[in-house]
Amino acid sequence: MASGNIERRTILKAAGASAAALGLAATTGCGGDSGTSADGTVTIRYSWWGAEERQKRISQSIRLFEKKFPKIKVKTDFQDYVAFWEKFQTQAAGGNPPDVFQNAVGFLRKYDKRGILLDLKSQIDAGNLSTRNFREGVLSVGQVDGKQLGVPVGSNTMALVIDKKIFRKAGVTPAPGWTWDDYFKALKTIHDRTKVPGDTGYFSIMYLYDLYLRQNGKAFFTKDGLGFDKADLTEWWQDGYNRVKAGIITDPKTVAQDRPKSSVTAKHGASEFTWDNFTVRYTAEGDSEYGLAPIPTTDGKNTGQYLASLMLSASARTKHPKEVAQFIDFMVHDPEVGKIMGYDRGILATTDQYAAFKPSDPVAREIAKYEEDTAKAGVLGTITPHPSGADTVEAAFLRIAGDMSLGKYKVADAVKQFFDESEAAFQA
Amino acid sequence: MGTTVTLVKESPLPTRKARSAAPAAGKRRGRRENLAGYLFMSPWIAGFLLLTAGPMVASLYFAFTDYNLFNSPKWIGFDNFTKMFDDPRWQKSVEVTAKYVVIGTPLKLLLALGVALLLAQSRRGQAFYRAAFYAPSLIGASVSIAFVWRSIFSDDAVVDRTMALFGVHSGGWVGDPDWILYCLVALAVWQFGAPMVIFLAGLKQVPKELYEAAAMDGAGPFRRFWSITLPMISPVLFFNVLLETIHSFQIFGSAYVVSNASCGPADATLVYTCYLYQQGFKNAQMGFASAMAWMLLLAVALVTAVLFWSQKKWVHYEEDAR
């Protein structure tokens, strides 16, 4: 240092630099940029889970919304299902959840208990969000203890997605009312004739086991716990394990490798139990022809199915409840949005959109017909409650069943582990 | 990771002459300089306090509470720690991590030392080889490489086909709980470049005359390695063992990505940090996860202490010889 004057400049520069660095840190703080700008334009954050295909449809819908409501800007982000809920949980815990977000029935009680969800009743009463024209029974999926915590955008139901080409080759035709015996015989026929395992692991899917239990007068969940006992699950998983060993179900090692793709679209399995609207995804992912088949039954009639739904929920902490309500209203009622979204998130929830969308591609038509047929067959029951922690239980069910089927755990140990983890999840 | 460290000793300022001329001004200037120094450091200090020290203290507190991110933490004493030992998945994660550390670290260091020995000899294209072997260390930790890894170890991919040529058809390592951990070990070993460079530097320090004298006395190459090279580079070896061991304990990214975020199949890649992450951020058991983190710190500290203690037996510092 040459002169005494430099120090002051040094100090000032240092001060300036650190102030700048801190300022930078402050402005890059994650996420929460919703707010009101000087000209009165309100920005709301909308998060959802899904893939590329859904992203295209949603941004197109948002462009329409912003045209109609020029004072509201919508900022979006999306992840896949698992990543979405991890991020959401962290944001919500930090007091910074998105203003509006995609939701499902398994999460309603959990986040209601934690005070994250806005009861949309007030906005409905204020006239910002209309509950008219919802298809029968759909709106109630978003209700918990008299509160409207979510507004359904589409309804879906568990179904059996099949690779039609393989089923045809094996000469197997699923028929309404077929029994589990018929179904497992079909899997064997498929494997014998085409060398492809018939199913990719039915025993690890919580929502399917729910249907099986419902067929037998029980359900997966009660209001605050599990609706079945260890003996029930031991039988379900032991049978599953035996069928994996018999080769009629995809080797779980292969299933693990195929992820995040489905083993059906990877041509390692002929069918899979999942939500009916997933046919859209499978068609985009694989190059065979995919369709829907009825759920096997215990008594030759009752499938245990019910209508579930994806919905939009709002944060209890949003600074713009009115704008959020207007946005939800637009997304569920606007006919143009219905045309854009199609059956990507299930059969459109309101008659406004349902009537506007005329499915032209065979996949959408098949989904519509499936839900129509299911409704006509009179097998749709009412949805049973999903207690807080249902999401963690679902993930544990999938993981532990997979581990069990790899032969790494005895069935009895797997069942015990599942009951232990469920207990912890309900209490969390 | 920086591999060369240069220490520059600066002459103390201000000089004695200046101080005697104006002691008061000098003191003031000294204080000012200190202030400037702290100001320059302040972004780092702020970051350290806010982003490292603060959260550490908080996590120590959470470790003794039942905390699900939303409730207010409830003090439960040592319950989280006792619960750990009864938790089969926690035991599994300890087992997986121990296996990874015990198998991966020595393999990586052996390879690093072996290649360093080869590269220590002068030959044409030396710089190129060094750069080429070092490169994986630079990119290996990235997520995209882990994705590549996942696909080359899949069924019917490069590794599987190559092994099939030798009559081993594994059906892919990625989906097989008995194999997938070795896929991660291979990924770690492949990044041997960083310890290799440190070994190289160590090898350069070994005085040539020792080898010449030994050769004169009739010592063969193996004897020279065992009696000269190894003792002479033992401080470097110690440094590498320490660093790589600690580093291995912290494995997360590769396990998370290669297993497609599941740390499976059948918990085969459920490394410690992965289970910690699942408990903290998936199951919202933040108290338990914090306790796990402190347990890991204790374990790493213990292993480090044992290593330091053991160096008396096998690390040779030049001062000892004098």
Side-chain angles (χ1 to χ4, degrees), chain B residues 103-126:
Chain B
I103 299 172
T105 314
L107 277 180
K108 183 175 183 178
L109 291 175
L110 274 176
L111 190 64
L113 181 57
V115 176
L117 284 169
L118 289 177
L119 292 183
Q121 284 138 36
S122 316
R123 68 183 64 202
R124 250 182 6 169
Q126 200 180 25

Side-chain angles (χ1 to χ4, degrees), chain A residues 27 124 204 207 259 275 286 300 315 344 356 361 374 388 406 408:
Chain A
T27 50
I124 293 166
S204 61
Y207 285 105
R259 269 177 207 143
W275 299 101
S315 157
D344 178 63
D361 63 307
T374 315
S388 169
L406 280 160
K408 283 279 149 186

Side-chain angles (χ1 to χ4, degrees), chain B residues 182 203 275:
Chain B
Y182 300 103
L203 289 170
Y275 189 45

Side-chain angles (χ1 to χ4, degrees), chain B:
Chain B
M1 204 187 291
T3 50
T4 49
V5 179
T6 333
L7 285 178
V8 181
K9 220 172 185 182
E10 286 177 25
S11 60
L13 274 174
T15 61
R16 186 175 293 164
K17 207 173 159 193
R19 216 188 297 157
S20 62
K27 226 181 224 169
R28 217 181 306 133
R29 191 189 293 170
R31 264 209 302 275
R32 277 214 191 136
E33 272 177 11
N34 280 348
L35 186 61
Y38 283 121
L39 269 173
F40 271 116
M41 271 165 68
S42 62
W44 182 86
I45 292 175
F48 172 76
L49 290 176
L50 285 170
L51 302 175
T52 307
M56 269 181 81
V57 172
S59 95
L60 183 59
Y61 168 64
F62 291 148
F64 295 94
T65 64
D66 178 12
Y67 178 45
N68 74 0
L69 288 172
F70 294 90
N71 65 353
S72 39
K74 198 172 82 213
W75 186 266
I76 53 168
F78 280 92
D79 278 12
N80 284 328
F81 293 91
T82 50
K83 216 166 70 186
M84 247 177 249
F85 291 92
D86 293 332
D87 178 355
R89 293 194 80 208
W90 183 81
Q91 293 163 7
K92 176 83 188 178
S93 76
V94 171
E95 181 197 320
V96 170
T97 312
K99 228 164 139 184
Y100 176 80
V101 173
V102 169
I103 299 172
T105 314
L107 277 180
K108 183 175 183 178
L109 291 175
L110 274 176
L111 190 64
L113 181 57
V115 176
L117 284 169
L118 289 177
L119 292 183
Q121 284 138 36
S122 316
R123 68 183 64 202
R124 250 182 6 169
Q126 200 180 25
F128 168 76
Y129 287 120
R130 285 182 191 176
F133 282 116
Y134 186 68
S137 289
L138 293 174
I139 56 169
S142 70
V143 168
S144 45
I145 287 294
F147 272 115
V148 171
W149 222 251
R150 180 174 162 81
S151 51
I152 65 176
F153 279 94
S154 285
D155 192 12
D156 215 26
V158 184
V159 173
D160 195 28
R161 282 196 195 177
T162 312
M163 284 179 64
L165 291 179
F166 300 100
V168 186
H169 180 71
S170 60
W173 295 18
V174 169
D176 192 328
D178 296 328
W179 281 96
I180 186 168
L181 188 66
Y182 300 103
C183 179
L184 301 183
V185 168
L187 179 55
V189 170
W190 181 59
Q191 297 166 54
F192 64 86
M196 179 198 76
V197 168
I198 299 174
F199 277 133
L200 261 175
L203 289 170
K204 291 276 166 201
Q205 302 287 318
V206 183
K208 287 261 185 322
E209 52 280 15
L210 289 180
Y211 291 113
E212 283 158 13
M216 210 101 75
D217 287 343
F222 179 74
R223 187 62 203 266
R224 288 201 296 266
F225 173 76
W226 191 254
S227 301
I228 300 173
T229 313
L230 218 47
M232 291 305 284
I233 64 162
S234 59
V236 174
L237 183 60
F238 173 71
F239 175 78
N240 270 339
V241 168
L242 195 67
L243 219 63
E244 291 301 328
T245 307
I246 294 174
H247 189 64
S248 297
F249 270 107
Q250 298 166 344
I251 175 193
F252 177 77
S254 59
Y256 188 77
V257 176
V258 171
S259 69
N260 189 36
S262 71
C263 303
D267 288 349
T269 55
L270 188 73
V271 293
Y272 197 88
T273 50
C274 209
Y275 189 45
L276 192 161
Y277 174 80
Q278 287 188 356
Q279 284 290 1
F281 292 96
K282 275 188 201 280
N283 299 353
Q285 307 273 3
M286 207 41 94
F288 187 78
S290 300
M292 275 187 73
W294 283 91
M295 232 16 212
L296 178 62
L297 184 75
L298 281 179
V300 172
L302 195 71
V303 169
T304 310
V306 168
L307 280 174
F308 264 101
W309 170 80
S310 79
Q311 65 169 335
K312 271 193 292 215
K313 312 259 179 216
W314 61 277
V315 181
H316 170 87
Y317 289 102
E318 270 189 274
E319 295 94 288
D320 301 346
R322 272 177 208 155

Side-chain angles (χ1 to χ4, degrees), chain A residues 133-300:
Chain A
N133 301 340
F134 275 86
R135 285 169 42 235
E136 201 186 324
V138 176
L139 192 62
S140 62
V141 180
Q143 292 163 352
V144 165
D145 304 332
K147 289 180 270 193
Q148 190 78 43
L149 300 177
V151 176
V153 289
S155 66
N156 52 7
T157 180
M158 278 302 274
L160 179 61
V161 176
I162 62 170
D163 184 325
K164 284 184 172 173
K165 285 186 185 164
I166 298 179
F167 268 66
R168 267 201 298 270
K169 201 171 151 204
V172 171
T173 324
W178 65 338
T179 63
W180 290 98
D181 281 343
D182 298 334
Y183 168 69
F184 290 120
K185 262 183 218 142
L187 297 189
K188 189 168 181 319
T189 312
I190 291 167
H191 186 242
D192 289 347
R193 294 193 183 153
T194 66
K195 296 281 163 267
V196 179
D199 170 76
T200 64
Y202 73 92
F203 53 85
S204 61
I205 298 163
M206 180 187 92
Y207 285 105
L208 178 71
Y209 189 42
D210 187 28
L211 297 189
Y212 177 79
L213 290 166
R214 286 164 61 102
Q215 292 172 7
N216 292 283
K218 298 183 178 180
F220 197 97
F221 293 113
T222 62
K223 224 177 159 185
D224 48 13
L226 296 173
F228 56 95
D229 59 27
K230 286 183 181 168
D232 294 326
L233 185 58
T234 307
E235 190 190 345
W236 179 253
W237 277 355
Q238 186 65 56
D239 288 349
Y241 180 72
N242 296 342
R243 287 175 183 126
V244 170
K245 287 290 140 214
I248 61 172
I249 291 169
T250 316
D251 183 347
K253 290 180 196 169
T254 308
V255 175
Q257 285 194 44
D258 287 338
R259 269 177 207 143
K261 249 181 144 181
S262 151
S263 284
V264 168
T265 56
K267 296 208 157 73
H268 294 137
S271 70
E272 186 161 81
F273 289 99
T274 185
W275 299 101
D276 55 358
N277 57 315
F278 274 43
T279 331
V280 177
R281 184 195 120 189
Y282 285 26
T283 306
E285 204 174 88
D287 58 5
S288 189
E289 192 189 322
Y290 306 98
L292 294 162
I295 298 283
T297 67
T298 302
D299 62 3

